[in-house]
Amino acid sequence: MQACNNKTIGDWLSDIKNKSLCLPRFQRKQVWSKDNVIQFLKTLVSSYETPVGMFLVLTTNPSNPAFPIRTIDGSDARSAYCDSLLLDGQQRLSALWKALHDEDKKFRYYFRFNEQFEIEGVDWGDKQTRKEKNRNQNPKNQCKERLFPAKLLNPLSNESGLDEWLQGTESEETESIKNLIRETRKIFGFDETEGKVIPYFSLPADTDKKTAIEIYKTINTNSVTLSQYYLAVADMEGEVDESLYNVLEELVESEPLIEKLENKDIGEMFLKISCLLQNLMPTNRNYKKLSFEKIKNSKQSIFEGVKWTVKELKNLKIGDHRQLPSIVPLRVLPALHQSMPPSGQRIADASQMVKKYLWYAFLTDRYDKQANDRLKKDYDDLNSRFKNERKRINKDGIRIFKEHKSPSKTDIINTGWPQAKNRLARGALLVCCQGGARALASDEPLTIDNCEQRDRHHIFPRSRLPRKGEGSGDRVLNCLFIPEEDNNEYGDDLPGDCIKKISKSLDVPSSRAKVEKRLETHLISKELTRDLGKVTQDAIDRGRISLQDAYNKFIVARAKDVEIKIKELLK
């Protein structure tokens, strides 16, 4: 290994542009946060002397690279003439490239200067906001905020961009700002200046694959606590010359909906499924015990298992992660698919058992703790039953059905709004949607295609009830899963006023009965709808009804109906 101290920031950026510097395919994607990028940019412009760490590169033969390659995030992805692979430093260089080329998808970065025309910090803007869109289009406003875009420091661009930006500032301080930017650009190696050097270690081209991967793992683990997932990616690449990233791209291509359902990491999901299939506890530590040859050979069967799992979730009207009470079945069912009986009564029994398993996973506290241990037990239990052709498939002895009970009416009443970490609330809302969850205005049923356009609507407006405590409106029992336009239209209406407004808009005979039928598809009975119809602003103003009392009565009554439905599903 050789230490080198002869490459400036501009040199590194030029290597990225020329694609002579690339990444081994197993390198993880860019994961730096906005704050990481800001801190790195601050360090870069603080002075020539402030260190920004070292990089590690592996010299390689352009015609026969040591590893399959990919270009650095944000740079041109076309074919590369690569003679160096970046093993450590990707996060820093990717962040720098994107900031200086304004290619970050979410954020735009600015340097902030003071009245003495010295850089005193780094600012940012969210590209999705109107404020940032207006700021980006108006250099004059940027100047008023004493900001200039990071892209003006790009050493690979000429001064035409700087001159164009300065013309739009209409500032009396134009010349001072220009001098500040030009002086700062020198740090990056602009205008034939030497620029700031980022040193690096270079591994020779004859370094073997396993040694290079071990060095990569050691350096990354020590510096950023590289997760076992990324170490497994590197190990797989070294052992079977198959990129896990490519496998995951194939998986998403074969079943695109999995990306909407798996809100965490499809790679982690895939490795946990592989652990189950290789009889390993699906933990990060066990990734290194996986046979990657077996993964390579079994990937198509995993793909089929994922497709089947998605189909089962579609049948329950689940189309994205907001509706999914627990991600655990996305690990268990794809592995279990290989053991499903081929035909006859056994497949009917197994299919029924799978549906029951899903509801237990969603509605009981089975996976609220010790999830990896319990999902392995559940997979083992179901897998052994499905494989045993001598016995009928029933729930006897299967631990998830034996050890966990239906939530009580009190549990259902007390559970809050169906947010990300509220498993029971999401499960209860899903139960309420099984009747079709039709739109209030259009009568359109909930489908996989329209679920992303649905909002969670407060039946009793949240603003009219206590924020916290017993009478809070943030309860799943006060929730309807309806189209966004319905939520916008009726969001502030009391339930009786909402029902009147919908009935009037239908303008057909028996319109009130039609509204009742639509609410029935949300597990709100006709009797409850009639009670809700009495809760109007006029009734409250006249003192004929107490809003809080009506709300409490509705919550208790709906809880009883939801409890009955849940018991049916878990029976």
Side-chain angles (χ1 to χ4, degrees):
M1 186 184 299
Q2 180 182 0
C4 305
N5 197 36
N6 61 352
K7 293 185 78 166
T8 66
I9 295 172
D11 293 331
W12 288 108
L13 294 172
S14 292
D15 288 347
I16 295 174
K17 180 179 180 180
N18 299 331
K19 297 184 286 295
S20 60
L21 178 69
C22 296
L23 299 171
R25 192 173 55 189
F26 61 74
Q27 265 274 31
R28 63 179 178 165
K29 304 290 185 179
Q30 187 185 4
V31 295
W32 261 17
S33 68
K34 163 178 58 68
D35 293 337
N36 292 138
V37 177
I38 288 173
Q39 187 56 51
F40 183 57
L41 292 175
K42 282 182 181 178
T43 304
L44 282 176
V45 300
S46 58
S47 73
Y48 281 88
E49 290 75 26
T50 305
V52 292
M54 298 187 72
F55 296 159
L56 174 66
V57 301
L58 170 65
T59 304
T60 192
N61 182 346
S63 60
N64 185 26
F67 294 96
I69 65 172
R70 63 181 177 89
T71 53
I72 289 176
D73 292 352
S75 67
D76 192 336
R78 289 175 294 182
S79 60
Y81 184 82
C82 173
D83 58 19
S84 297
L85 294 172
L86 187 64
L87 297 183
D88 183 44
Q90 187 232 148
Q91 300 298 318
R92 286 167 284 173
L93 275 183
S94 294
L96 180 59
W97 177 275
K98 288 182 178 181
L100 296 185
H101 288 80
D102 195 21
E103 290 180 355
D104 190 302
K105 291 181 180 178
K106 292 184 178 179
F107 304 110
R108 181 174 289 112
Y109 296 95
Y110 298 88
F111 287 94
R112 186 171 60 251
F113 57 94
N114 57 28
E115 293 182 358
Q116 287 72 46
F117 298 98
E118 301 166 333
I119 292 180
E120 62 175 16
V122 179
D123 210 332
W124 59 277
D126 185 337
K127 290 184 175 181
Q128 302 305 313
T129 63
R130 183 179 299 175
K131 176 183 176 182
E132 175 54 30
K133 289 175 182 177
N134 291 337
R135 176 200 269 171
N136 181 51
Q137 293 169 359
N138 197 331
K140 184 178 180 179
N141 288 344
Q142 294 170 19
C143 247
K144 283 183 178 179
E145 295 182 63
R146 307 201 79 78
L147 302 174
F148 66 85
K151 65 181 180 181
L152 296 182
L153 297 183
N154 186 354
L156 303 182
S157 64
N158 56 39
E159 282 208 343
S160 61
L162 172 58
D163 292 336
E164 183 181 343
W165 181 82
L166 287 167
Q167 287 175 8
T169 63
E170 302 178 14
S171 171
E172 297 176 358
E173 303 170 326
T174 295
E175 198 60 36
S176 298
I177 297 170
K178 182 175 183 178
N179 289 337
L180 166 66
I181 295 173
R182 292 198 67 183
E183 284 301 309
T184 308
R185 287 177 80 163
K186 290 180 181 180
I187 294 175
F188 293 81
F190 179 77
D191 199 20
E192 298 184 356
T193 53
E194 291 186 0
K196 189 170 188 171
V197 169
I198 301 181
Y200 65 101
F201 288 112
S202 178
L203 296 174
D206 59 0
T207 306
D208 64 82
K209 274 189 175 185
K210 285 194 174 181
T211 301
I213 286 177
E214 286 306 314
I215 293 173
Y216 159 77
K217 288 165 59 177
T218 300
I219 288 177
N220 280 280
T221 303
N222 289 339
S223 61
V224 295
T225 316
L226 198 65
S227 76
Q228 291 296 322
Y229 166 69
Y230 288 110
L231 298 182
V233 170
D235 284 336
M236 182 171 178
E237 189 92 7
E239 287 184 24
V240 297
D241 195 27
E242 170 85 83
S243 170
L244 185 57
Y245 295 132
N246 288 354
V247 172
L248 300 178
E249 286 174 4
E250 289 178 46
L251 171 58
V252 172
E253 187 176 341
S254 68
E255 180 46 80
L257 193 58
I258 192 61
E259 273 195 313
K260 295 180 181 179
L261 292 167
E262 175 58 57
N263 191 36
K264 288 194 172 182
D265 192 322
I266 292 176
E268 293 276 1
M269 178 197 76
F270 188 89
L271 291 180
K272 286 183 182 292
I273 295 168
S274 299
C275 282
L276 293 177
L277 290 173
Q278 296 185 32
N279 198 30
L280 294 169
M281 184 73 71
T283 60
N284 289 343
R285 290 183 180 180
N286 280 341
Y287 294 164
K288 60 186 177 183
K289 298 179 183 178
L290 286 166
S291 165
F292 296 106
E293 189 66 42
K294 288 183 180 179
I295 289 179
K296 182 179 179 179
N297 294 334
S298 65
K299 68 178 184 179
Q300 289 302 328
S301 61
I302 294 178
F303 292 178
E304 291 304 313
V306 169
K307 287 181 183 179
W308 172 71
T309 301
V310 169
K311 183 179 178 182
E312 291 295 322
L313 295 178
K314 283 180 178 180
N315 291 337
L316 298 183
K317 306 185 188 303
I318 301 174
D320 74 2
H321 67 273
R322 295 183 309 147
Q323 299 171 267
L324 190 63
S326 170
I327 61 172
V328 171
L330 295 180
R331 287 98 176 98
V332 174
L333 293 192
L336 191 63
H337 177 254
Q338 297 187 23
S339 304
M340 285 291 286
S343 60
Q345 182 61 44
R346 285 181 56 77
I347 194 169
D349 292 343
S351 297
Q352 188 62 34
M353 201 61 58
V354 165
K355 289 180 174 62
K356 191 179 297 293
Y357 164 76
L358 283 170
W359 285 117
Y360 267 83
F362 295 158
L363 296 170
T364 73
D365 62 359
R366 176 66 173 172
Y367 299 127
D368 288 358
K369 55 184 178 181
Q370 300 175 343
N372 287 326
D373 175 63
R374 289 178 172 180
L375 74 87
K376 175 70 164 60
K377 289 176 178 176
D378 295 338
Y379 167 74
D380 289 342
D381 287 351
L382 292 166
N383 187 47
S384 65
R385 299 304 190 283
F386 291 0
K387 281 186 172 181
N388 190 342
E389 297 181 3
R390 296 181 180 180
K391 293 184 178 181
R392 285 289 302 273
I393 301 172
N394 57 53
K395 66 178 186 179
D396 294 345
I398 297 177
R399 280 166 279 196
I400 187 173
F401 304 141
K402 182 180 178 182
E403 298 172 0
H404 297 272
K405 296 180 179 180
S406 171
S408 68
K409 181 179 175 182
T410 301
D411 293 332
I412 298 166
I413 289 174
N414 290 334
T415 194
W417 198 246
Q419 301 177 71
K421 294 184 179 180
N422 196 332
R423 185 258 319 148
L424 179 55
R426 285 190 175 203
L429 182 59
L430 187 61
V431 169
C432 294
C433 290
Q434 293 308 295
R438 289 184 172 272
L440 301 180
S442 68
D443 200 32
E444 180 185 29
L446 173 66
T447 68
I448 301 305
D449 295 326
N450 66 29
C451 65
E452 287 186 285
Q453 285 73 53
R454 294 259 172 152
D455 277 349
R456 297 181 179 114
H457 166 77
H458 289 79
I459 300 169
F460 284 74
R462 181 188 185 193
S463 59
R464 304 290 297 271
L465 297 166
R467 282 292 201 183
K468 296 180 180 179
E470 228 175 83
S472 167
D474 282 334
R475 299 186 187 188
V476 66
L477 294 170
N478 189 37
C479 182
L480 295 181
F481 197 49
I482 59 176
E484 182 180 354
E485 57 268 25
D486 281 3
N487 191 30
N488 293 336
E489 177 68 22
Y490 311 120
D492 296 327
D493 293 335
L494 290 172
D497 294 325
C498 174
I499 291 169
K500 281 184 180 179
K501 188 182 288 187
I502 299 168
S503 300
K504 186 177 180 181
S505 69
L506 294 178
D507 195 26
V508 293
S510 305
S511 59
R512 191 69 171 244
K514 290 184 181 296
V515 176
E516 289 177 356
K517 285 185 177 181
R518 291 175 191 181
L519 286 173
E520 276 189 302
T521 67
H522 294 268
L523 203 56
I524 295 179
S525 66
K526 291 180 181 178
E527 292 75 19
L528 264 182
T529 297
R530 288 164 190 165
D531 287 340
L532 287 174
K534 300 173 185 177
V535 186
T536 65
Q537 187 61 52
D538 181 66
I540 292 172
D541 291 343
R542 293 173 180 270
R544 293 200 298 259
I545 192 169
S546 161
L547 179 63
Q548 191 68 59
D549 288 347
Y551 173 68
N552 293 340
K553 181 181 176 182
F554 168 76
I555 291 296
V556 171
R558 195 181 189 204
K560 182 179 178 182
D561 293 338
V562 173
E563 181 190 27
I564 291 170
K565 186 65 177 178
I566 288 175
K567 285 182 176 178
E568 289 176 6
L569 293 168
L570 299 183
K571 188 174 178 180

